[in-house]
Amino acid sequence: MLNEDTPLTPVNKADKLSPDASEKGDLSMPAKVDMDKIVSLCKRRGLIFPSSEIYGGLASCWDYGPMGVELKRNVRDAWWKSIVHERDDVVGLDTSIMMHPGVWTASGHIDSFTDPLLECKSCHLRWRADDIEGQRCPKCDGELTEPRMFNLMFKTSMGPVEEEASTIYLRPETAQGIFVNFDNVITTSRKKLPLGIAQIGKSFRNEITTGNFIFRTREFEHMELEYFVKPGTDEEWLDYWVKERFDWYVKLGIRKENLRLRQHGKDELAHYARDCYDIDYLFPMGWSELEGIANRGDFDLIQHAKHSGKELGYYDAEAGEKYVPYVIEPSAGVDRSVLAFLIDAYDEEEVEGEKRTVLHLNPSLSPIKVAVLPLSRNEKLTPLAKEVFNKLCPNFVTDYDDSQSIGRRYRRQDEIGTPFCVTIDFESLEDKQVTIRERDSLAQIRVPIEKLEKNLEAKLKGEAFNASALWATREK
Ligand code: GAP
């Protein structure tokens, strides 16, 4: 089904351990870093903390710290830029988390968004039937109940008087907010098909099993595109979006050998899907889903038209025909992408006999772009260092750090993936030049303060960090 220039041959379903192997992963290839190291780095450097930690935490809930919030925002922005801003066939949307309950009946989530659940009669732990081999509880070997279907949507009630309040659900995907607004967008945007509608926002699923840090949580953030096309062109567009999405991860620094495509087997497809590919990443627990790209056909528009009574079609004025569009849906998790970017960037190296931990993040994803580091906390250096910081911070996310030794400060910045450190030393007071140190090569160049911004801007856009060439131009 995929064209010859598709980046990878699709992997068969047989390569997956179980219908949803995402918790344990496919261990056919060992990952290079274990999850504990990532969790520990995230805590140590203010990327991600356990939620409500002072109360002992809350299972599978995580909070993004000062560095994490920047990283997550950068992932979202990179997606939005490539999906919405760099194209003229996609528009954005931001719909409410709580929707009319009829939406979930029409979408099939009330009937079909379920997992088979087993409960241990002794320890009362709950298991997904798919994850259990044999008849006994994996924890205590107790007897298990018969499987029952467990709906993954979180329920709540809307309205101040409990008895009169209606049951509503927290959305389990952002996609439905897009489908129910299809007509609004088509009539107001004056765009023709093919047309995509993109949305980023929180989704909620009462997963039976969670774990592997932020890989599978009950509250997470979706980045979803619903791309509406003419029926008959859908297979072509599915191929197109599989390739686009795969390339997005590679462009942002994920190594190709850590990504693969996997086509869903017919028995594995979601109730709405005609076809689906997963982009899998080699997480520490094995190959697991990073993103799904599905051909949803006309399922959703037909269902919403039927249940709402509102016709949801498209009139192609040029061809003079009317049809219900098919939908191609690339659906990714922000948190799961953050995790993949962190894992892929993580490295431990030896530098001058010392170990350094470094995140080789693509600079566009790095939480901090530039760190301003006076050689020491010194009353002569501080004013110039502050001046440099003030100059840079309106244009780059900049950190100012003058505590501890310069070596330690470099290590701290390496650990959060800061691509450039700018050091102000005593010579800077005389020659008005500063040193830029590059994270990956550790090369250092000296540049005049007045050219610093332009220099950093070019480097952040990918200009080579050619130390010797710049040293040669150093103004003595
Ligand atoms: N609208 C289609 C849809 O939601 P999905 O395969 O269930 O498809 C798409 O989810 C992506 O959302 C997954 O590939 C994953 O990145 C992310 N995702 C799904 N459930 C998640 C969870 N419980 N925790 C974190 N991310 C999740």
Side-chain angles (χ1 to χ4, degrees):
M1 149 108 190
L2 288 164
N3 300 326
E4 272 172 20
D5 61 354
T6 308
L8 283 183
T9 317
V11 178
N12 288 327
K13 180 171 182 268
D15 285 356
K16 234 189 166 192
L17 286 178
S18 72
D20 188 340
S22 14
E23 286 306 308
K24 45 196 174 200
D26 166 358
L27 298 166
S28 58
M29 242 174 97
K32 290 172 201 81
V33 55
D34 63 62
M35 196 72 94
D36 288 348
K37 285 194 173 172
I38 299 292
V39 177
S40 152
L41 172 73
C42 285
K43 175 82 206 288
R44 189 167 75 245
R45 289 289 168 239
L47 286 149
I48 302 168
F49 308 125
S51 164
S52 330
E53 196 179 8
I54 58 170
Y55 286 93
L58 179 65
S60 95
C61 293
W62 300 91
D63 296 341
Y64 286 78
M67 294 301 113
V69 77
E70 298 293 339
L71 172 59
K72 195 178 185 193
R73 182 198 303 266
N74 293 339
V75 170
R76 271 194 227 113
D77 288 352
W79 187 89
W80 195 261
K81 183 165 180 272
S82 90
I83 297 284
V84 184
H85 289 168
E86 290 178 353
R87 311 181 60 102
D88 70 352
D89 58 350
V90 178
V91 293
L93 200 65
D94 184 7
T95 68
S96 66
I97 286 172
M98 294 179 286
M99 300 177 73
H100 189 288
V103 168
W104 307 113
T105 309
S107 68
H109 282 83
I110 299 278
D111 289 336
S112 307
F113 197 57
T114 52
D115 270 344
L117 174 144
L118 305 170
E119 190 170 330
C120 173
K121 290 182 183 170
S122 306
C123 71
H124 299 289
L125 269 183
R126 290 172 164 192
W127 303 92
R128 276 173 66 137
D130 300 338
D131 293 340
I132 300 284
E133 282 163 22
Q135 311 288 317
R136 315 291 297 182
C137 170
K139 177 87 188 296
C140 73
D141 205 35
E143 196 188 333
L144 295 167
T145 59
E146 287 298 308
R148 70 179 167 91
M149 294 316 274
F150 175 76
N151 195 295
L152 300 183
M153 281 197 293
F154 275 102
K155 260 188 208 165
T156 185
S157 41
M158 185 176 255
V161 185
E162 204 170 338
E163 301 80 62
E164 292 165 17
S166 54
T167 299
I168 56 157
Y169 301 89
L170 301 186
R171 68 179 177 200
E173 60 174 14
T174 64
Q176 297 306 323
I178 296 178
F179 296 129
V180 301
N181 276 292
F182 173 72
D183 200 56
N184 281 337
V185 175
I186 281 287
T187 49
T188 56
S189 67
R190 302 170 60 80
K191 297 243 182 205
K192 291 187 192 136
L193 255 53
L195 175 69
I197 307 178
Q199 169 155 231
I200 299 180
K202 289 262 185 175
S203 289
F204 302 83
R205 296 181 183 181
N206 200 2
E207 303 278 4
I208 297 170
T209 48
T210 55
N212 287 316
F213 194 28
I214 53 171
F215 177 83
R216 184 181 296 280
T217 51
R218 296 194 172 101
E219 172 184 343
F220 62 97
E221 220 169 319
H222 253 138
M223 305 185 279
E224 300 200 292
L225 167 67
E226 308 304 321
Y227 195 75
F228 298 88
V229 304
K230 185 174 180 181
T233 64
D234 48 310
E235 292 190 6
E236 223 173 280
W237 281 113
L238 178 63
D239 288 359
Y240 170 86
W241 279 110
V242 167
K243 185 168 176 347
E244 278 288 303
R245 295 302 304 142
F246 189 98
D247 290 349
W248 184 78
Y249 291 104
V250 175
K251 200 175 129 201
L252 285 173
I254 297 212
R255 279 161 284 196
K256 243 182 178 168
E257 65 265 29
N258 291 341
L259 291 168
R260 73 176 189 188
L261 290 180
R262 195 185 67 80
Q263 187 175 16
H264 282 211
K266 288 274 173 261
D267 57 337
E268 190 194 355
L269 289 171
H271 63 275
Y272 51 74
R274 300 168 70 91
D275 196 1
C276 186
Y277 285 83
D278 283 350
I279 298 175
D280 285 351
Y281 177 72
L282 187 56
F283 286 97
M285 65 281 188
W287 287 104
S288 311
E289 178 188 336
L290 177 59
E291 166 165 352
I293 300 120
N295 180 349
R296 294 181 79 125
D298 55 11
F299 177 86
D300 303 272
L301 291 182
I302 296 257
Q303 283 297 103
H304 286 304
K306 201 160 93 188
H307 285 255
S308 69
K310 164 99 186 154
E311 198 185 330
L312 294 174
Y314 174 74
Y315 178 65
D316 182 339
E318 270 163 32
E321 54 177 333
K322 204 170 178 180
Y323 54 82
V324 178
Y326 274 21
V327 177
I328 306 303
E329 179 196 60
S331 173
V334 181
D335 315 79
R336 207 173 280 186
S337 303
V338 164
L339 184 59
F341 285 122
L342 281 172
I343 292 166
D344 222 78
Y346 184 95
D347 207 0
E348 287 171 13
E349 302 170 350
E350 199 164 302
V351 176
E352 290 163 7
E354 270 188 45
K355 192 187 101 177
R356 83 157 177 160
T357 300
V358 55
L359 288 182
H360 295 291
L361 285 171
N362 182 300
S364 67
L365 299 182
S366 297
I368 303 287
K369 309 298 179 203
V370 192
V372 173
L373 314 174
L375 196 60
S376 60
R377 190 177 290 167
N378 176 287
E379 61 183 24
K380 290 208 175 103
L381 290 182
T382 303
L384 184 61
K386 288 272 181 199
E387 192 187 310
V388 170
F389 172 79
N390 290 334
K391 212 169 144 76
L392 297 181
C393 70
N395 301 315
F396 313 98
V397 182
T398 310
D399 188 28
Y400 182 90
D401 188 2
D402 64 359
S403 62
Q404 299 184 306
S405 75
I406 187 77
R408 280 195 168 205
R409 281 180 279 155
Y410 282 150
R411 296 290 169 269
R412 270 209 295 272
Q413 297 297 335
D414 289 342
E415 285 201 336
I416 54 168
T418 305
F420 300 111
C421 290
V422 171
T423 310
I424 291 94
D425 55 24
F426 288 99
E427 235 184 302
S428 309
L429 300 173
E430 304 300 319
D431 65 6
K432 299 282 181 261
Q433 296 195 43
V434 291
T435 304
I436 310 178
R437 167 199 184 263
E438 199 259 342
R439 176 196 68 201
D440 297 340
S441 64
L442 297 171
Q444 301 196 5
I445 58 172
R446 201 147 168 97
V447 296
I449 292 172
E450 66 191 42
K451 293 188 182 155
L452 184 59
E453 271 171 273
K454 282 258 171 302
N455 218 295
L456 287 168
E457 204 177 284
K459 299 278 172 296
L460 283 165
K461 280 191 182 145
E463 184 185 279
F465 199 91
N466 189 336
S468 53
L470 276 144
W471 270 113
T473 63
R474 182 177 172 184
E475 292 163 19
K476 293 251 161 142

